Amino acid sequence: MITRMILAAALLLPFSAAAQYDSTYGSTYYRQKVTQFNEIPDTESGEIIFLGDSITDIAEWADLFKNCKIKNRGISGDMTAGILNRLSEVTRRKPSSIFLMIGINDLANGVPDSVIIGNYAKIMDRIRLESPAAKLYVQSILPTNDQFTEFARHQHKEAQIAAINQQLERMAVQRGCIYVNLHDALCDSEGKLSTDYTNDGLHLKGAGYLVWKNILQRKKYL
């Protein structure tokens, strides 16, 4: 009996360790989008790529900026590990600029800050290696608002978001990238994502994307 109990406990150990956090990114939608991106030919020079999760995916970037060279490489639900997995499709295009935002889904799935930062470092370094002429804009993780309940797992991460954004700013400077603080411009007086800009506590309404656009234009990044 004791031997069977020890064996059972040993068999459970790998699953317990893996269950500490969930870095799964390969949803059906993710795979659909990646296969679509891979089939799009490299036809334009000077492409501008917005790379990220659903917050990027939702936006109509080319229409918003009236620029047909802007390409949307956002995938709803994506995480830092997912970006690493599909990054070659972006870097092989040798874009002129890459606007990166990722990480809130990692936090929702319990991925440790150290893993998120480590994956960001790998993303930045690979872009620098594989597409050295591209200007890389590292955009802050945005605030959320727990007034809404639809995305409860993404809420109450304020301290982690602030800590990660601080490290991203430092890493961007060290690697010769540009850090873009979008977080503060979208906060309300309590430090939450303003209801002027969201209707679910996580994603942006049109007004939020206009704030984003205006920041990039005012700083002459686009």
Side-chain angles (χ1 to χ4, degrees):
M1 176 65 74
I2 294 174
T3 302
R4 285 201 298 269
M5 290 174 64
I6 293 172
L7 179 58
L11 289 172
L12 286 172
L13 280 174
F15 295 96
S16 299
Q20 290 177 1
Y21 66 88
D22 182 4
S23 59
T24 305
Y25 56 83
S27 67
T28 300
Y29 182 71
Y30 176 95
R31 293 191 295 272
Q32 290 167 346
K33 293 289 281 189
V34 169
T35 57
Q36 182 183 162
F37 294 155
N38 286 332
E39 294 302 324
I40 297 173
D42 305 347
T43 55
E44 291 191 43
S45 60
E47 288 185 342
I48 300 164
I49 293 180
F50 278 75
L51 178 62
D53 51 36
S54 58
I55 298 171
T56 297
D57 192 358
I58 288 170
E60 302 292 347
W61 296 109
D63 290 335
L64 189 64
F65 284 94
K66 297 182 180 178
N67 187 339
C68 64
K69 288 193 174 184
I70 296 179
K71 308 300 179 184
N72 192 332
R73 290 298 183 270
I75 299 181
S76 181
D78 205 2
M79 302 168 69
T80 53
I83 295 289
L84 279 168
N85 180 67
R86 64 186 176 95
L87 190 58
S88 295
E89 184 274 326
V90 173
T91 57
R92 71 174 168 82
R93 297 179 182 280
K94 301 296 186 276
S96 63
S97 303
I98 299 171
F99 290 85
L100 172 67
M101 180 190 289
I102 196 70
I104 192 62
N105 293 319
D106 293 70
L107 291 174
N109 285 282
V111 178
D113 295 9
S114 59
V115 175
I116 297 171
I117 290 299
N119 285 344
Y120 254 103
K122 293 174 185 176
I123 292 167
M124 293 184 200
D125 292 344
R126 278 190 54 194
I127 290 173
R128 279 280 161 264
L129 178 65
E130 298 172 15
S131 189
K135 291 183 179 179
L136 175 56
Y137 298 87
V138 179
Q139 301 169 120
S140 59
I141 299 176
L142 302 186
T144 61
N145 191 323
D146 61 2
Q147 173 181 328
F148 303 88
T149 59
E150 186 176 351
F151 294 96
R153 291 188 304 115
H154 294 72
Q155 304 299 339
H156 308 293
K157 310 293 184 185
E158 292 85 0
Q160 287 177 278
I161 290 172
I164 291 171
N165 282 341
Q166 187 176 39
Q167 292 190 66
L168 292 181
E169 183 173 13
R170 182 167 60 250
M171 289 167 61
V173 171
Q174 291 172 344
R175 287 167 167 77
C177 308
I178 299 169
Y179 178 75
V180 185
N181 181 5
L182 299 172
H183 178 282
D184 294 355
L186 295 167
C187 283
D188 62 17
S189 60
E190 297 180 357
K192 299 179 180 180
L193 181 57
S194 171
T195 55
D196 292 337
Y197 306 132
T198 188
N199 61 354
D200 65 9
L202 176 64
H203 301 101
L204 299 179
K205 300 190 294 186
Y209 286 108
L210 285 180
V211 171
W212 191 336
K213 171 188 175 181
N214 290 338
I215 290 172
L216 297 185
Q217 287 187 324
R218 186 173 70 248
K219 291 181 176 293
K220 302 187 185 306
Y221 298 152
L222 258 178

